[in-house]
């Protein structure tokens, strides 16, 4: 029986040759999730000049020290996007948030710390003791966010809204990103027939397509019955680079993906049980002239297999890297089920104020409990769980991935 890590490496080896790179304008990356293919180095300081962080008055700290509560003449205004004239000693100028600090000023006094507390007055009185206003107060210094030459984004990073914003702030208008293969999501089985009285609705096609689209992949969906020749013909008619199938790989008499692999003389599929629950049956390799990842048919098994194997491979992650935000959380209540010996168990849970609370059981058809969960919890394999104790009692800290 293969470990989850070993199978994750196998899936990555199958998918990694399909990943490419391209340069795309920043505007094209706002709605489609992508991953960086190269580091991004800032060619400028951010901000590019000293500027005000408040609406108020630009002034020299020496002027404040000598004013001693006396009125200070206001001699002009600096708006955002404008450059003001030098500030003469003993005077102040109105300044707006984001406007460059003019020569002769080194401090900003917020408008609410002045009298009469409004713009347009010919003079102001500062309502603060001189020692309370230091040079540089309320000034955003040049380069205080990013210095020129700083690597602001690293290859492999997912382009979140904040990271796209950093690129824009640094004057970057195009990025090198990873391209994903065209993917066919293939649901198998005579029983998968939406609306049929004796059939089941295709949840796997929806969950996997949604997950792949959120990675920025181009996805096509298809359903084939338990006919291996029809499966091979249907896949050959598509332009997919990668097939992700669900079902047809277990030990039944009509496992259509296994049967198709037997028919295809060029098949290089490996079907091997994984030491993981749910998601034990897995397949990977090449079939019908396509790279192929075969997932189990039960909906929770398929979705957890996507998180464990497919998603990290498409993100180009190392086999040991976490594909979701990871942490260790305390169990609010113990797990009173005895886990299978020698298998990694991946359970659904919610994070509460008291800690992690398991949602639903371990069975692989309970998709609603997955939808109600915020985290996946990893219960490490054991050789022989003790029958006289909880396997994971309350207070234990277990590794989790955030999925919500």
């Amino acid at each position: 029986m293969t470990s989850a890590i070993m199978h994750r490496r196998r899936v990555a080896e199958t998918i990694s040759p399909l990943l490419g790179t391209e340069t795309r304008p920043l505007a094209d990356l706002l709605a489609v999730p992508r991953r960086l293919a190269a580091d991004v180095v800032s060619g400028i300081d951010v901000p590019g000049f000293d500027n005000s962080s408040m609406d108020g008055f630009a002034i020299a700290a020496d002027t404040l020290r000598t004013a001693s509560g006396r009125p200070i003449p206001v001699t002009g205004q600096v708006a955002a996007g404008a450059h003001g004239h030098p500030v003469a000693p003993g005077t102040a100028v109105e300044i707006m948030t984001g406007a460059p600090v003019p020569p002769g000023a080194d401090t900003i006094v917020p408008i609410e710390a002045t009298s009469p507390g409004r713009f347009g007055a010919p003079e102001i009185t500062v309502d603060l003791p001189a020692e309370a206003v230091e040079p540089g107060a309320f000034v955003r210094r040049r380069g205080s966010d990013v210095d020129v030459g700083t690597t602001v984004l690293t290859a492999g990073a997912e382009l979140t809204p904040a990271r796209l914003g950093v690129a824009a702030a640094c004057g970057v208008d195009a990025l090198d990103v990873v391209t994903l293969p065209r993917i066919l999501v293939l649901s198998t089985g005579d029983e998968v027939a939406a609306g049929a009285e004796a059939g089941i609705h295709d949840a796997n096609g929806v969950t996997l397509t949604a997950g792949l689209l959120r990675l920025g992949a181009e996805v096509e969906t298809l359903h084939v019955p338990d006919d291996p020749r029809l499966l091979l013909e249907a896949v050959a008619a598509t332009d997919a680079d990668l097939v992700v199938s669900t079902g047809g790989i277990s030990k039944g008499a009509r496992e259509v993906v296994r049967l198709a692999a037997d028919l295809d003389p060029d098949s290089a599929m490996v079907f091997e049980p994984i030491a993981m629950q749910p998601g034990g049956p897995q397949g990977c390799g090449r079939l019908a002239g396509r790279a192929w990842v075969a997932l189990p048919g039960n909906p929770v098994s398929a979705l957890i297999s996507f998180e464990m194997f497919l998603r990290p491979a498409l993100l180009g992650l190392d086999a040991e890297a976490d594909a979701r935000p990871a942490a260790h959380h305390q169990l609010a209540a113990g797990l009173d089920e005895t886990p299978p010996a020698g298998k990694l168990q991946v359970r659904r849970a919610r994070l509460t104020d008291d800690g992690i609370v398991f949602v639903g059981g371990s069975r692989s058809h309970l998709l609603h409990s997955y939808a109600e969960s915020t985290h996946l919890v990893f219960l490490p394999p054991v050789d022989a769980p003790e029958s006289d104790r909880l396997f994971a009692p309350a207070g234990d800290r277990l590794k989790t991935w955030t999925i919500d």
Side-chain angles (χ1 to χ4, degrees), residues 251-404:
K251 297 181 179 179
R254 302 180 68 186
E255 303 297 333
V256 65
V257 178
R258 281 181 175 269
L259 293 173
D262 291 338
L263 286 177
D264 183 357
D266 298 320
S267 170
M269 291 292 290
V270 175
F271 299 101
E272 194 168 12
I274 307 302
M276 184 178 83
Q277 185 191 49
Q282 299 285 340
C284 189
R286 290 192 66 84
L287 177 59
R290 309 293 198 279
W292 197 296
V293 177
L295 308 180
N298 278 316
V300 172
S301 297
L303 197 48
I304 286 179
S305 297
F306 169 80
E307 294 288 345
M308 293 291 293
F309 307 124
L310 192 58
R311 189 174 189 275
L314 290 169
L315 289 175
L317 300 176
D318 293 334
E320 289 79 12
D322 292 303
R324 293 283 190 179
H328 284 76
H329 289 293
Q330 181 173 292
L331 296 181
L335 178 67
D336 56 4
E337 300 178 31
T338 300
K343 290 186 178 182
L344 169 69
Q345 192 172 76
V346 185
R347 293 289 300 270
R348 288 83 75 198
R350 282 195 303 269
L351 181 61
T352 71
D353 291 341
D354 297 323
I356 284 289
V357 175
F358 292 109
V359 179
S362 60
R363 300 183 68 181
S364 57
H365 70 289
L366 302 174
L367 185 58
H368 181 249
S369 66
Y370 198 118
E372 295 293 305
S373 301
T374 61
H375 289 69
L376 295 180
V377 182
F378 297 91
L379 302 172
V382 292
D383 292 331
E386 299 176 26
S387 58
D388 60 347
R389 70 179 289 271
L390 292 175
F391 168 67
D396 270 13
R397 296 182 67 83
L398 294 177
K399 183 178 178 178
T400 67
W401 282 0
T402 303
I403 55 172
D404 183 1

Side-chain angles (χ1 to χ4, degrees), residues 42-220:
S42 180
I44 61 173
D45 291 323
V46 181
F49 48 85
D50 291 355
N51 69 89
S52 176
S53 66
M54 302 287 287
D55 291 331
F57 297 87
I59 198 168
D62 285 344
T63 296
L64 290 173
R65 281 192 286 267
T66 59
S68 300
R70 293 191 302 273
I72 301 171
V74 178
T75 60
Q77 184 184 88
V78 187
H83 289 273
H85 297 294
V87 179
T91 68
V93 299
E94 297 174 354
I95 192 166
M96 308 303 140
T97 300
V101 177
D106 58 13
T107 302
I108 306 299
V109 177
I111 190 171
E112 52 266 34
T114 67
S115 295
R118 60 178 174 80
F119 292 130
E123 59 184 22
I124 59 169
T125 301
V126 177
D127 300 331
L128 291 171
E131 61 271 15
V133 184
E134 295 293 329
F138 301 108
V139 174
R140 300 168 178 157
R141 294 297 187 192
R142 175 174 180 163
S144 56
D145 187 14
V146 175
D147 286 326
V148 61
T150 299
T151 299
V152 291
L153 299 173
T154 56
E158 292 183 61
L159 287 174
T160 62
R163 288 171 179 152
L164 289 167
V166 166
C170 293
V172 176
D173 57 10
L175 292 170
D176 295 331
V177 295
V178 176
T179 58
L180 299 181
R182 292 165 299 192
I183 301 175
L184 172 66
V185 173
L186 180 67
S187 302
T188 70
D190 293 339
E191 74 281 7
V192 180
E197 185 176 338
I200 61 174
H201 295 277
D202 182 16
N204 288 339
V206 171
T207 58
L208 294 177
T209 298
L212 292 167
L213 289 174
R214 281 160 172 76
L215 294 178
E218 178 184 337
V219 183
E220 178 183 356

